[in-house]
Amino acid sequence: MSTPTPLCAGRVAVVTGAGRGLGRAHALALAAEGARVVVNDLGVGLDGSGGATEPAELVAEEIRAAGGGAVAHHGDIATTEGAASLVATALDTFGRLDTLVNNAGFLRDRMLVNLDEDDWDAVTRVHLRGHFLPLKHAAAHWRAEAKAGRMPGARVVNTSSGAGLLGSVGQGCYSAAKAGIVALTLVAAAELGRYGVQVNAIAPAARTRMTEETFAETMAVRPPGTFDAMAPENVSPLVVWLGSAACAGVTGRVFEAEAGRITVMEGWRPGPTADKGDRWTPAEAGEAATGLLARAEAPRPVYGAH
């Protein structure tokens, strides 16, 4: 029997926040399927403070030691210079760019009344601007390629969260940023399809530095040798497929990925509707809304709500 061709053979992938957790798992999984990988990470702490080169370097070395191609990148992808150099690193080192996995992020959890505006700005900066700028610079390259007659088969995988889809108590800024990433994904998919670019998002649940306290109890009761449902590596196979040519035609979609489960998320769409054909009075509007709510599907609860 012939050996199957690796899913990402010949492709070059960039993964942000790839020094640890989900990003590291994605980088290793892409490399295992034949991709050459630019491993981006600032090496910051859980709250975004500090910085170190070792996490990205260690992952790149791990890929090279396994026979793959990888280079570390330490730029801040929430800056124009860092995002531009990220794309340039892929092109200068490997001669092409096929897949962008936006994954970088950190947390500064607070209840809204205790949330500092500096914390709000820091979290939205890394999640939203840190998705927008790499996407912008990669898209500019792919558009130029398409206009030059070299139509890409490019893929972007953005990272949202269940917090962005449902909300999460104590995570107002994180939830808002992750919800924004979904909207950015939908717009990018609509705008960039003409240039051969597909854009999708995942909402993963896995054990990382950001969630290890949440899943500590689950890990404590897991019998040795059983399936580690919260391992970040469980999410990466979907990311690899979405980052490959095999997912042709799939764009503008959001997937939840957790343990052995993959779910296509279905977002806002019209539910029950009332149309008076004229302007409502406030009392009429309230009566109509009450009737519509009685017919509507109940929303899922916000994470952490009681």
Side-chain angles (χ1 to χ4, degrees):
M1 284 180 64
S2 60
T3 303
T5 302
L7 208 58
C8 295
R11 296 180 71 83
V12 172
V14 166
V15 185
T16 69
R20 304 180 179 95
L22 283 164
R24 174 182 177 274
H26 300 340
L28 294 175
L30 285 159
E33 284 291 336
R36 291 165 290 173
V37 184
V38 178
V39 180
N40 164 266
D41 204 286
L42 281 177
V44 299
L46 180 58
D47 64 352
S49 61
T53 60
E54 288 84 357
E57 296 288 354
L58 288 171
V59 175
E61 177 54 37
E62 188 173 354
I63 291 171
R64 291 192 295 266
V71 61
H73 178 268
H74 308 294
D76 181 355
I77 45 82
T79 66
T80 294
E81 297 76 14
S85 73
L86 180 70
V87 172
T89 297
L91 299 178
D92 293 345
T93 306
F94 299 119
R96 59 186 297 130
L97 173 60
D98 304 284
T99 299
L100 168 63
V101 180
N102 282 317
N103 169 78
F106 56 74
L107 294 175
R108 293 187 184 177
D109 292 350
R110 300 283 190 281
M111 302 298 279
L112 286 172
V113 295
N114 297 319
L115 181 59
D116 211 45
E117 62 186 77
D118 290 340
D119 292 331
W120 174 279
D121 290 343
V123 171
T124 55
R125 175 186 182 274
V126 69
H127 287 282
L128 271 178
R129 197 192 303 176
H131 269 64
F132 158 63
L133 287 174
L135 176 55
K136 174 184 176 178
H137 287 276
H141 165 68
W142 289 324
R143 181 181 65 176
E145 289 290 286
K147 289 187 172 182
R150 298 182 293 271
M151 185 63 75
R155 305 289 186 261
V156 178
V157 184
N158 291 329
T159 306
S160 182
S161 167
L165 302 177
L166 296 177
S168 180
V169 171
Q171 293 189 313
C173 56
Y174 177 75
S175 297
K178 289 302 193 183
I181 287 167
V182 171
L184 176 64
T185 298
L186 302 180
V187 173
E191 290 185 357
L192 303 178
R194 72 190 73 178
Y195 306 123
V197 184
Q198 294 180 189
V199 187
N200 295 285
I202 60 167
R207 183 181 61 257
T208 68
R209 288 190 301 165
M210 293 196 295
T211 61
E212 60 186 357
E213 291 185 9
T214 303
F215 298 128
E217 184 176 338
T218 302
M219 287 301 298
V221 300
R222 182 173 66 88
T226 59
F227 174 51
D228 184 354
M230 290 295 104
E233 290 79 8
N234 298 333
V235 177
S236 299
L238 177 62
V239 172
V240 171
W241 182 76
L242 289 172
S244 75
C247 74
V250 179
T251 194
R253 292 290 195 164
V254 179
F255 298 84
E256 272 196 339
E258 175 184 356
R261 177 175 59 83
I262 295 171
T263 303
V264 176
M265 302 304 290
E266 298 181 335
W268 294 106
R269 62 187 63 213
T273 303
D275 185 355
K276 180 182 176 181
D278 200 349
R279 183 178 302 154
W280 303 91
T281 68
E284 289 173 337
E287 183 179 356
T290 300
L292 295 175
L293 289 169
R295 292 156 46 201
E297 183 178 343
R300 293 174 62 187
V302 171
Y303 287 110
H306 299 292

